[in-house]
Amino acid sequence: MHYPRLEIRLEIIRKNVTTILEKCDKHSLMPTFVTKGFLADFPLLTTLYKGGVRRFADSNMINLLRMRAMFGKEVELFLIRLPMQEELELVCQNDIVPLISHWEVLEALHTTARKAKKRQRVMLAVEGGDAREGFLPEEFEGIEGRVRDLSWLSVEGIATTLACLSGVLPDRGVVKRLTTLKKELRQKLGKDHFILSVGGTTFFELWRENETWMDIDEIRFGEAFLFGSDISRKKTIEWLSQGAFLLYAEIVEVRSKKVTEEVERGFDAFGRSLSLFPSAPRRRALVALGKQDIDESQLYFWDGNVTIIGATSNYLVLDVEESDKGYKVGDIVCFYPGYGAVLRAFLSPYVEKVYVS
Ligand SMILES: *Cc1c(COP(=O)(O)O)cnc(C)c1O
């Protein structure tokens, strides 16, 4: 067996997919599964597809192109990072629906679509209060005129993303504003079909009660089906399952050590100043798992008497002084990795990915 090893339990994800699809169906919501958290890796992707998922979104074009090649016209694909110039042609050739937040990008995409003689669908990104991507609502003044000239484009709706940057959470007020904007734009553009898309996972909270006042058409999420949690609200989602990802790694040193006091203290290898370490010796376990493989701030260890001190590029350092488990060299320890840690593990060629069905 090779370590470090990321174990992915597909049966948990399969269960979450079924539950989410049922919930969305009940609330007439189109569910869009965001795949950027696991690099749209093949076995996981196939699990989603077999579970009935037909709408995928990613922030990386490479992943979207691979999905188009795998599933053909069977699936709807969305580019959820604002496109770079060189991506416009790929968007158009591969029938990918992008999020757009600038008139000049819409115009450039229109030119591309006209040349290709292909009708191109787009979603307009709208700033929802998180101060990240999107048109400001007041910029839609006169949108009818601007869009009229872009005859090769079809504006499908508006999309907002919250809680990713400033932690702004969606509430009744936010949704009311968005639904009002949707109605206004639908009217201005004279469309029968004009949708409101929201993301990410934290929006699920809004369907707790039997809400009938909301007029949301699509929800985009990653954390929900992967982790069954809502990190923006610091809680698990009780109607979903957790524990789909486990990270195993090996202890390569265990010793009592203290930090030298006699020398000048600088910064760590990543330029951060160090917090104060206890000067009395403490038992430390070094795990062969480094910053290249994981985000140590998003690792959770089952033994509550062990603290994760930090990580260097080579090692994860645990304080095991308070534990009575007798950790020793060669032991395999297991962590629950959070969203960021799983993404890092997928990006690291040093972490073996093992799928368990
Ligand atoms: C990442 C992302 C999502 C999914 O967010 P989760 O928190 O993983 O549910 C949705 N929309 C956009 C635009 C994103 O970038």
Side-chain angles (χ1 to χ4, degrees):
M1 203 83 89
H2 176 80
Y3 299 100
R5 188 170 101 236
L6 179 70
E7 200 173 282
I8 304 126
R9 299 152 123 195
L10 291 175
E11 88 276 9
I12 294 182
I13 291 174
R14 214 173 279 132
K15 212 169 116 200
N16 283 344
V17 167
T18 308
T19 311
I20 290 173
L21 289 181
E22 277 167 8
K23 187 177 178 87
C24 287
D25 192 48
K26 189 173 136 212
H27 295 282
S28 309
L29 266 175
M30 293 183 283
T32 299
F33 287 66
V34 175
T35 51
K36 67 186 178 207
F38 56 97
L39 278 60
D41 200 37
F42 182 80
L44 226 168
L45 209 53
T46 325
T47 301
L48 299 184
Y49 184 82
K50 284 186 181 159
V53 177
R54 293 295 180 272
R55 301 171 68 86
F56 296 97
D58 205 295
S59 39
N60 288 287
M61 188 55 93
I62 297 177
N63 294 345
L64 291 168
L65 294 180
R66 200 150 39 78
M67 287 190 257
R68 183 59 85 212
M70 270 172 74
F71 304 129
K73 294 280 169 203
E74 287 272 300
V75 296
E76 287 276 21
L77 297 178
F78 302 87
L79 176 61
I80 51 171
R81 177 167 66 192
L82 302 172
M84 294 182 269
Q85 298 293 319
E86 64 165 23
E87 290 174 332
L88 296 181
E89 234 176 275
L90 289 171
V91 157
C92 197
Q93 284 161 2
N94 295 281
D95 197 20
I96 292 165
V97 181
L99 280 182
I100 309 269
S101 80
H102 272 291
W103 299 115
E104 51 266 52
V105 180
L106 280 174
E107 281 152 20
L109 184 60
H110 177 256
T111 307
T112 311
R114 193 186 55 215
K115 276 188 197 145
K117 291 200 166 38
K118 270 188 163 173
R119 197 162 171 74
Q120 175 66 48
R121 293 172 299 158
V122 297
M123 290 290 291
L124 303 179
V126 178
E127 169 58 42
D130 210 22
R132 41 179 279 164
E133 81 268 36
F135 281 103
L136 299 171
E138 56 266 31
E139 290 179 89
F140 291 130
E141 195 71 42
I143 185 178
E144 321 82 288
R146 282 182 178 268
V147 167
R148 198 178 307 125
D149 299 333
L150 307 174
S151 52
W152 288 93
L153 299 189
S154 166
V155 180
E156 302 289 294
I158 50 174
T160 284
T161 313
L162 283 181
C164 293
L165 184 64
S166 348
V168 169
L169 296 174
D171 61 8
R172 249 185 132 88
V174 169
V175 176
K176 280 241 162 81
R177 246 180 292 134
L178 290 168
T179 40
T180 308
L181 182 64
K182 166 184 150 177
K183 282 200 194 94
E184 266 175 43
L185 294 182
R186 176 196 288 174
Q187 211 166 30
K188 279 187 181 173
L189 298 174
K191 291 227 161 201
D192 299 330
H193 175 80
F194 192 80
I195 70 163
L196 169 58
S197 168
V198 298
T201 289
T202 198
F203 269 92
F204 272 121
E205 179 77 10
L206 296 173
W207 284 274
R208 281 181 80 79
E209 297 104 51
N210 220 346
E211 299 288 6
T212 50
W213 57 276
M214 287 192 292
D215 195 14
I216 295 174
D217 307 281
E218 177 190 39
I219 180 164
R220 290 167 274 115
F221 51 85
E223 193 190 358
F225 74 91
L226 295 171
F227 297 91
S229 62
D230 179 351
I231 201 170
S232 324
R233 298 180 200 263
K234 270 203 170 17
K235 60 179 204 180
T236 55
I237 300 175
E238 76 279 1
W239 49 276
L240 291 173
S241 303
Q242 296 78 36
F245 297 92
L246 295 173
L247 187 66
Y248 294 92
E250 186 173 327
I251 295 179
V252 289
E253 182 183 305
V254 183
R255 269 207 185 83
S256 273
K257 290 198 173 174
K258 64 174 195 150
V259 176
T260 303
E261 287 161 272
E262 290 84 45
V263 297
E264 194 189 345
R265 300 273 298 278
F267 301 95
D268 73 2
F270 295 85
R272 292 165 316 184
S273 60
L274 300 158
S275 48
L276 279 177
F277 286 117
S279 46
R282 310 237 341 147
R283 213 164 168 72
R284 291 185 155 193
L286 267 62
V287 181
L289 185 67
K291 270 187 189 290
Q292 71 225 348
D293 311 310
I294 41 95
D295 175 353
E296 77 281 6
S297 66
Q298 289 199 12
L299 277 188
Y300 310 96
F301 194 49
W302 62 273
D303 183 346
N305 292 321
V306 170
T307 333
I308 297 175
I309 301 282
T312 68
S313 44
N314 305 333
Y315 302 114
L316 180 74
V317 183
L318 308 177
D319 182 318
V320 298
E321 180 75 24
E322 311 294 333
S323 175
D324 57 5
K325 295 288 182 290
Y327 295 101
K328 56 185 192 309
V329 169
D331 282 356
I332 303 301
V333 281
C334 177
F335 302 87
Y336 285 112
Y339 205 165
V342 165
L343 174 59
R344 191 83 63 87
F346 267 103
L347 285 166
S348 170
Y350 310 118
V351 178
E352 186 173 8
K353 272 64 88 177
V354 178
Y355 286 93
V356 185
S357 50

